[in-house]
């Protein structure tokens, strides 16, 4: 049995002030313990590029710059990270501070290392400036959202750790600002990822830099009180040790020094005096397995009386970041309370390094796994722990959303954070600020550069909306906005416009759309125009222009029809189906087979060469994918009010295996005036069969009636509409 602090990644590096420098040779010998020789060699090559790039640069401490990235790499090596992450750690500042480009890193070290370095550089650009606590939470989410590879966050944390360790050379005001950011952003991220060793050190360094005076006072108090404690502390440790030996339990016992920041926080938050917080002995017991944890608990409860109501079983009910341990408080000799933590070696590893524990090198096949899959593994592990106790929802809300976000986090010019759904555009941003800002929006600047209004925003961008008093929303915006607020705002404003204004606007939009097709309104023959107006059942050109100006028709679609880009001779099927969707007369229109849209569904159109306009459901995965790549090709559509047509909907069912079950279902479907176009059998087990029906329906209401009817059948176990 050995007393002493267990080794924790991120906590064992040379403390500041230590004059021995950590050299590349030291790093390599550390890496040789767990990497292949070829991988260590690659890290060495990264070092050569790093040293070359930072040649001549020094840090504020006066030493050559390369010692900083080396120190960051060291922390990563202590976490047993893979060689790509170590190489990226060495190169993490070169894109930012030197002439070395991403392309060069890509050429020499491959895509993975280049992406990691690029990711760290992107985070470096983020500036947290807001004061509000809620904003800090959003900023933390933003950092995680911006990062596709969680290793980027780990490098950033290691980077921040070394900057904090060498913070002494900075100007006091700068020191305080960096310390505040560390306490509000970086330490909580480390905590959320379960990296407690990292979190503790960031907090300690952050506290003494932000509140140097308070830290000094506390430290003196701890020092004064500490002298009297050493003797009783040793006695208690001894007593527990010998009890465990007698019981044949193998384990490690260590006295824990409370960190200054945790003492400070307890005094501040719980309004305890220093004595109340500090006059507690803290001991950690680490044993081999869960069983022994509980046996050890019984043993210490037998040695000293436990304080009633203070026992916590975080093994059976883990904390939301996966932390597991038994906590109890005992009445020690002379009534001094003793805080005890008991956990297994594995729990201790997870408690100290969290998500990083999942990179700790395992030989062979493990090395080929992707970073994302490791992050998922970690989530899965923690989820499994959570599931067994049923508080997984809280955990999911806290962590999963952060790692795989559906939202983008953007800044206003004032530094406030605005959260928008994925694929949001500057127009969505403008309406999120205020509907007046949206209505008067004329241009947008992203990170101080003018950008198209239809561009998809990315997390971390600063968006500035340029407004003009006379400006009006553009109906074309409807084709790319994603928030309901923007859509409603645009429609509302357009409706209130006078028809004359609408005509002028419609003309301008149409001319612009024709221009992109190398045409002009005056080039369109009167015959062609009449033919179109006829087909659209409009009186004259003005009516068409007003329609466009009001946003009822897409200028781009009308323009294409005018120059005959789509459907030169409208065939009969197109002529009937076009009635269903507003503003698409004369276009070749088809309904996507992936999602089977029916009237009542929110829909979106996708222009495709040779197939005209394909109508998808708005939430169809295929469109979501496509629209990210080619946002200019999708158009928001609306059903017209008089569709009297048959559409196809796909319905999935699970049905008990009983003779006649299918016949019952077919009867219900027929009773509701629908036809079965197709049935496919997906899979079958001993009890039930999964099937997909293609049914003819007139709209959503009709479909809902059929599904309700089917659901009433006793053999139908499950039924749902199929998503795209
Ligand atoms: Mn750095």
């Amino acid at each position: 049995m050995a007393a002493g602090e267990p080794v924790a990644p991120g906590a064992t590096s040379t403390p500041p002030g230590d004059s021995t420098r950590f050299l590349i040779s030291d790093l390599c010998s550390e890496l040789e313990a767990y990497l292949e020789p070829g991988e260590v060699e690659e890290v060495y090559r990264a070092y050569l590029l790093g040293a070359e790039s930072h040649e001549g640069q020094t840090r504020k401490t006066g030493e050559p710059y390369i010692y900083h990235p080396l120190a960051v790499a060291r922390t990563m090596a202590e976490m047993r990270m893979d060689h790509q992450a170590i190489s990226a750690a060495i190169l993490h500042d070169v894109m930012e501070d030197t002439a070395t480009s991403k392309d060069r890193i890509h050429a020499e070290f491959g895509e993975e290392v280049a992406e990691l370095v690029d990711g760290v550089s992107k985070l470096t650009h983020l500036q947290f400036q807001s004061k509000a606590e809620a904003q800090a939470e959003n900023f933390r989410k933003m950092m995680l959202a911006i990062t596709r590879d969680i290793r980027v966050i780990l490098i950033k944390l290691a980077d921040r750790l070394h900057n904090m360790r060498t913070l002494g050379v900075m100007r006091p005001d700068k020191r305080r600002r960096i310390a505040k950011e560390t306490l509000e952003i970086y330490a909580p991220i480390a905590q959320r990822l379960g990296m407690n060793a990292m979190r503790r050190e960031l907090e300690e360094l952050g506290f003494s830099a932000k509140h140097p005076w308070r830290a000094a006072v506390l430290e003196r108090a701890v020092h004064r009180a500490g002298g009297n404690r050493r003797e009783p502390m040793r006695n208690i440790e001894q007593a527990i040790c010998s009890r465990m030996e007698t019981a044949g339990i193998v384990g490690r016992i260590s006295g824990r020094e409370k960190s200054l920041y945790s003492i400070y926080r307890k005094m501040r938050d719980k309004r305890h005096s220093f004595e109340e917080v500090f006059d507690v002995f803290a001991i950690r017991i680490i044993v081999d397995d869960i069983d022994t944890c509980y046996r050890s608990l019984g043993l210490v409860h037998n040695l000293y009386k436990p304080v009633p109501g203070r026992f916590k079983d975080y093994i059976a009910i883990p904390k939301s970041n996966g932390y597991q341990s038994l906590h109890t408080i005992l009445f020690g000799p002379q009534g001094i309370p003793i805080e005890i933590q008991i956990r297994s070696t594995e729990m201790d590893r997870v408690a100290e390094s969290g998500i990083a524990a999942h990179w700790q090198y395992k030989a062979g096949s493990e090395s080929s796994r992707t970073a994302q899959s490791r992050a998922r593994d970690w989530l899965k592990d923690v989820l499994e722990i959570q599931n067994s106790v049923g508080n997984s929802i809280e955990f999911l809300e806290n962590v999963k959303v952060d790692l795989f976000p559906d939202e983008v986090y953007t800044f206003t010019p004032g530094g406030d954070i605005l959260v928008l759904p994925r694929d949001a555009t500057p127009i969505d941003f403008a309406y999120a600020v205020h509907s007046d800002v949206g209505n008067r929006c004329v241009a947008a600047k992203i990170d101080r550069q003018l950008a198209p209004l239809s561009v998809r925003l990315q997390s971390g961008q600063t968006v500035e909306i340029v407004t003009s008093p006379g400006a009006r929303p553009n109906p074309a915006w409807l084709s790319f906005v994603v928030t309901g607020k923007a859509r409603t705002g645009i429609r509302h404003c357009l409706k209130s416009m006078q028809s004359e204004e609408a005509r002028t606007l419609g003309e301008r939009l149409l001319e612009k759309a024709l221009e992109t097709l190398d045409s002009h309104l005056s080039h369109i023959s009167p015959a062609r125009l009449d033919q179109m107006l006829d087909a659209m059942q409009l009186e004259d050109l003005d009516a068409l222009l007003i329609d466009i100006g009001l946003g009822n028709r897409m200028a781009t679609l009308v323009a294409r029809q005018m120059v005959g880009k789509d459907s030169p001779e409208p065939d009969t099927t197109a002529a009937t189906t076009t009635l269903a969707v507003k503003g698409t007369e004369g276009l070749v229109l088809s309904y996507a087979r992936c999602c089977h849209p029916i009237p009542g569904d929110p829909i979106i159109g996708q222009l495709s060469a040779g197939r005209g306009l394909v109508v998808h459901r708005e939430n169809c995965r295929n469109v979501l994918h496509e629209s990210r790549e080619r946002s200019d090709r999708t158009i928001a559509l609306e059903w017209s009010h008089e569709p009297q047509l048959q559409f196809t909907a796909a319905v999935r069912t699970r049905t008990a295996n009983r003779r006649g079950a299918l016949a019952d279902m077919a009867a219900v479907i027929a009773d509701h005036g629908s036809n079965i176009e197709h049935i496919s059998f997906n899979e079958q087990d001993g009890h039930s069969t999964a099937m997909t029906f293609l049914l003819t329906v007139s709209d959503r209401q009709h479909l809902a009636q059929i599904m309700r009817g089917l659901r009433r059948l006793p053999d139908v176990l499950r039924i749902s509409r199929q998503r795209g």
Side-chain angles (χ1 to χ4, degrees):
M1 200 166 333
E5 189 70 36
V7 176
T12 56
S13 295
T14 321
D18 193 321
S19 59
T20 52
R21 270 177 189 163
F22 185 75
L23 304 170
I24 180 64
S25 50
D26 301 326
L27 178 67
C28 287
S29 56
E30 180 128 20
L31 295 177
E32 273 156 12
Y34 71 98
L35 292 179
E36 299 295 323
E39 295 172 337
V40 178
E41 206 170 292
E42 190 164 326
V43 171
Y44 186 75
R45 281 202 301 118
Y47 166 76
L48 293 180
L49 177 59
E52 179 201 317
S53 303
H54 289 297
E55 176 78 60
Q57 296 178 340
T58 52
R59 296 199 90 213
K60 279 249 162 62
T61 53
E63 62 178 6
Y65 196 90
I66 189 67
Y67 286 108
H68 163 63
L70 263 182
V72 175
R74 176 191 203 173
T75 302
M76 299 295 283
E78 283 160 0
M79 295 182 205
R80 292 289 182 261
M81 298 299 289
D82 50 39
H83 70 279
Q84 290 97 337
I86 306 276
S87 300
I90 294 180
L91 297 171
H92 81 267
D93 276 330
V94 301
M95 277 176 58
E96 196 57 26
D97 299 340
T98 79
T100 306
S101 69
K102 183 180 176 186
D103 288 344
R104 177 154 180 211
I105 301 172
H106 188 282
E108 293 187 25
F109 299 97
E111 186 175 355
E112 215 172 319
V113 175
E115 287 300 330
L116 287 171
V117 175
D118 191 44
V120 177
S121 304
K122 278 198 188 112
L123 288 188
T124 307
H125 282 136
L126 285 186
Q127 286 290 333
F128 179 65
Q129 27 190 276
S130 177
K131 319 93 214 155
E133 173 58 25
Q135 293 285 301
E137 173 64 31
N138 274 336
F139 191 85
R140 294 193 286 266
K141 284 188 178 170
M142 175 181 319
M143 282 194 59
L144 292 164
I146 217 172
T147 309
R148 253 176 258 132
D149 187 327
I150 198 73
R151 287 176 296 179
V152 168
I153 295 284
L154 303 187
I155 295 172
K156 195 66 202 167
L157 287 171
D159 176 40
R160 177 51 61 116
L161 183 64
H162 186 247
N163 287 338
M164 290 304 293
R165 283 173 179 170
T166 53
L167 195 60
V169 292
M170 293 284 187
R171 278 206 325 263
D173 59 325
K174 209 167 172 198
R175 220 184 298 166
R176 264 194 299 277
R177 186 185 64 73
I178 296 174
K180 180 176 184 312
E181 194 181 68
T182 301
L183 289 175
E184 288 180 357
I185 308 295
Y186 290 91
I189 286 180
Q191 176 174 32
R192 189 156 284 188
L193 297 176
M195 304 165 71
N196 284 311
M198 173 75 79
R199 188 211 79 211
R200 264 199 311 274
E201 192 175 350
L202 288 175
E203 282 179 351
E204 263 333 76
L205 295 166
F207 174 53
S208 58
K210 188 173 173 224
H211 300 297
W213 188 78
R214 290 175 219 186
V217 169
L218 264 187
E219 192 169 7
R220 268 200 302 278
V222 167
H223 190 76
R224 259 201 312 274
N228 311 326
R229 293 158 43 104
R230 221 153 283 143
E231 194 55 33
M233 186 77 175
R234 202 170 305 133
N235 292 340
I236 293 167
E237 276 180 49
Q238 273 308 323
I240 297 176
C241 257
S242 59
R243 276 294 173 102
M244 288 176 68
E245 259 167 18
T246 316
I249 295 176
V250 182
R252 285 181 296 155
I253 298 177
S254 53
R256 289 185 301 119
E257 277 302 315
K258 276 224 155 82
S259 75
L260 293 182
Y261 187 60
S262 74
I263 296 172
Y264 168 71
R265 203 163 35 187
K266 272 207 179 112
M267 289 171 65
R268 187 192 60 189
D269 296 348
K270 301 194 171 158
R271 303 190 166 275
H272 285 335
S273 70
F274 173 74
E275 283 71 26
E276 278 174 288
V277 178
F278 188 72
D279 279 351
V280 173
F281 289 167
I283 288 177
R284 182 175 300 156
I285 302 174
I286 296 171
V287 294
D288 285 342
D289 50 38
I290 293 186
D291 221 48
T292 317
C293 290
Y294 288 103
R295 274 171 62 212
S296 310
L297 177 76
L299 196 140
V300 296
H301 277 183
N302 197 295
L303 182 62
Y304 302 110
K305 244 187 204 353
V307 177
R310 298 299 297 274
F311 166 63
K312 292 210 178 74
D313 188 345
Y314 292 120
I315 290 182
I317 303 173
K319 289 191 182 176
S320 68
N321 62 7
Y323 174 88
Q324 287 187 289
S325 207
L326 297 175
H327 288 189
T328 187
I329 297 180
L330 312 171
F331 289 113
Q334 290 121 48
I336 301 169
I338 314 169
E339 266 180 30
I340 306 262
Q341 295 179 352
I342 306 171
R343 56 196 186 228
S344 71
T345 317
E346 177 60 21
M347 290 172 193
D348 191 53
R349 200 172 66 99
V350 172
E352 291 300 301
S353 39
I355 198 167
H358 270 264
W359 267 269
Q360 289 174 2
Y361 195 83
K362 290 163 203 151
S365 59
E366 294 279 326
S367 60
S368 64
R369 310 257 310 287
T370 65
Q372 202 69 334
S373 80
R374 283 174 195 255
R376 275 178 209 282
D377 272 3
W378 175 71
L379 280 176
K380 218 177 84 204
D381 274 15
V382 182
L383 261 179
E384 260 161 31
I385 299 169
Q386 296 293 323
N387 272 339
S388 59
V389 294
N391 57 352
S392 57
I393 290 171
E394 180 210 6
F395 169 75
L396 275 177
E397 277 173 4
N398 284 341
V399 183
K400 186 151 185 230
V401 178
D402 293 355
L403 293 180
F404 307 105
D406 277 320
E407 288 162 334
V408 289
Y409 298 85
T410 54
F411 287 114
T412 67
D416 285 338
I417 293 168
L418 216 58
V419 187
L420 296 165
R422 191 162 60 185
D423 286 340
T425 63
I427 298 293
D428 294 294
F429 182 98
Y431 277 97
V433 172
H434 195 278
S435 55
D436 279 348
V437 177
N439 289 337
R440 303 202 182 331
C441 169
V442 287
K445 285 183 186 170
I446 296 177
D447 295 333
R448 298 208 203 103
Q449 305 260 352
L450 273 177
L453 291 172
S454 61
V455 77
R456 307 290 171 194
L457 296 175
Q458 311 275 328
S459 279
Q461 289 175 332
T462 300
V463 184
E464 188 187 340
I465 299 297
V466 183
T467 57
S468 147
R472 289 289 161 86
N474 182 334
W477 294 351
L478 288 169
S479 65
F480 54 73
V481 296
V482 298
T483 55
K485 198 166 178 200
R487 207 175 287 272
T488 321
I490 296 165
R491 289 227 171 92
H492 184 80
C493 189
L494 290 174
K495 267 195 199 118
S496 62
M497 280 168 68
Q498 297 300 309
S499 59
E500 179 47 36
E501 284 178 308
R503 205 202 69 88
T504 319
L505 178 64
E507 185 173 3
R508 210 169 63 219
L509 288 171
L510 184 59
E511 285 288 13
K512 221 169 134 195
L514 283 166
E515 223 168 81
T516 64
L517 300 170
D518 287 328
S519 186
H520 198 269
L521 201 45
S522 60
H523 297 170
I524 309 295
S525 71
R528 173 80 194 151
L529 201 55
D530 280 344
Q531 186 196 343
M532 279 187 62
L533 292 172
D534 249 20
M536 295 172 178
Q537 296 176 330
L538 288 172
E539 233 162 74
D540 52 19
L541 180 62
D542 277 0
L544 174 62
L545 295 178
I546 288 169
D547 247 17
I548 294 171
L550 290 175
N552 295 333
R553 284 172 203 280
M554 297 288 312
T556 44
L557 288 185
V558 174
R560 290 171 77 93
Q561 288 170 257
M562 279 187 165
V563 299
K565 276 269 160 87
D566 283 294
S567 141
E569 63 255 26
D571 61 347
T572 46
T573 51
T576 50
T577 49
T578 49
L579 288 173
V581 179
K582 272 188 195 165
T584 57
E585 292 83 350
L587 268 185
V588 174
L589 195 67
S590 61
Y591 299 96
R593 298 220 177 140
C594 43
C595 53
H596 292 293
I598 59 175
D601 289 332
I603 45 172
I604 191 163
Q606 196 166 299
L607 280 171
S608 78
R611 284 173 61 207
L613 193 65
V614 182
V615 182
H616 289 264
R617 283 162 75 185
E618 213 171 59
N619 58 5
C620 175
R621 273 164 229 259
N622 297 330
V623 181
L624 289 177
H625 175 70
E626 194 89 354
S627 68
R628 263 197 290 282
E629 326 257 290
R630 302 286 310 260
S631 56
D632 56 323
R633 294 226 156 190
T634 54
I635 288 162
L637 296 174
E638 249 183 280
W639 297 98
S640 72
H641 289 300
E642 63 260 279
Q644 288 299 320
L645 295 155
Q646 292 287 314
F647 293 85
T648 306
V651 171
R652 298 158 69 106
T653 61
R654 182 167 278 283
T655 315
N657 293 337
R658 189 189 61 82
R659 194 184 307 232
L662 195 53
D664 289 349
M665 293 172 79
V668 169
I669 291 165
D671 283 350
H672 283 86
S674 168
N675 293 320
I676 300 174
E677 282 184 356
H678 186 76
I679 302 178
S680 52
F681 293 85
N682 307 333
E683 43 130 335
Q684 189 165 23
D685 59 31
H687 309 286
S688 64
T689 306
M691 290 177 280
T692 304
F693 287 80
L694 291 185
L695 303 175
T696 58
V697 299
S698 54
D699 56 18
R700 271 170 84 101
Q701 217 180 342
H702 187 198
L703 176 64
Q705 284 161 3
I706 302 169
M707 286 173 65
R708 218 174 298 135
L710 288 172
R711 204 171 277 131
R712 270 190 219 116
L713 294 173
D715 292 325
V716 175
L717 309 175
R718 225 179 301 152
I719 180 163
S720 63
R721 183 159 175 214
Q722 184 173 300
R723 303 259 316 239

